[in-house]
Amino acid sequence: MSSVKTEFSPDYFRAIFGDDRTEWLAFKEVNVRTFSQGLDRLRTAIESGEMDVVSEVRHAMGPSLKQWGTVTLEARMMALNSDNLTAEWPGIDDELKDLISALEGLK
């Protein structure tokens, strides 16, 4: 089972937005777009073996991953290196897709 499915929690951010549904939905959409773009960049970088881009993207996404509660995904991404990239990436790709789906499902 995906760690995102067991760890994902919008509680941290919901507390910030409270009852402001309009701002909450706008924020959620920004996060969907940000993670989707990050996933696209990671896929491209991994295809071409650009570990510096992988490192840049994972560091940019890390704090948000933690704040959404997806600490296992964040740890897996931070552990990526040129030696384990090929083996680890498929599972991380799936987890990022699960995260994007979870965000899209928020109301």
Side-chain angles (χ1 to χ4, degrees):
M1 172 180 266
S2 166
S3 67
V4 169
K5 292 180 180 177
T6 57
E7 294 178 349
F8 176 79
S9 174
D11 294 345
Y12 173 81
F13 290 116
R14 279 206 195 271
I16 292 169
F17 289 95
D19 294 331
D20 191 338
R21 184 163 168 74
T22 302
E23 290 295 320
W24 167 250
L25 292 175
F27 175 75
K28 176 194 87 144
E29 288 306 313
V30 166
N31 277 262
V32 167
R33 186 172 50 252
T34 299
F35 284 120
S36 295
Q37 290 170 347
L39 178 56
D40 290 342
R41 285 189 70 204
L42 285 167
R43 286 175 175 160
T44 301
I46 288 166
E47 271 184 31
S48 59
E50 296 178 66
M51 196 60 211
D52 56 331
V53 174
V54 171
S55 183
E56 175 189 326
V57 174
R58 71 178 175 194
H59 280 87
M61 294 170 70
S64 291
L65 291 171
K66 286 180 183 177
Q67 290 167 328
W68 284 111
T70 56
V71 294
T72 300
L73 173 57
E74 189 270 343
R76 289 182 70 195
M77 285 183 60
M78 295 309 278
L80 281 176
N81 60 53
S82 56
D83 294 331
N84 68 10
L85 195 59
T86 304
E88 292 295 321
W89 174 248
I92 293 171
D93 186 277
D94 288 343
E95 296 261 348
L96 285 168
K97 289 186 289 191
D98 287 346
L99 174 59
I100 293 165
S101 291
L103 287 166
E104 289 172 335
L106 291 176
K107 303 293 179 209

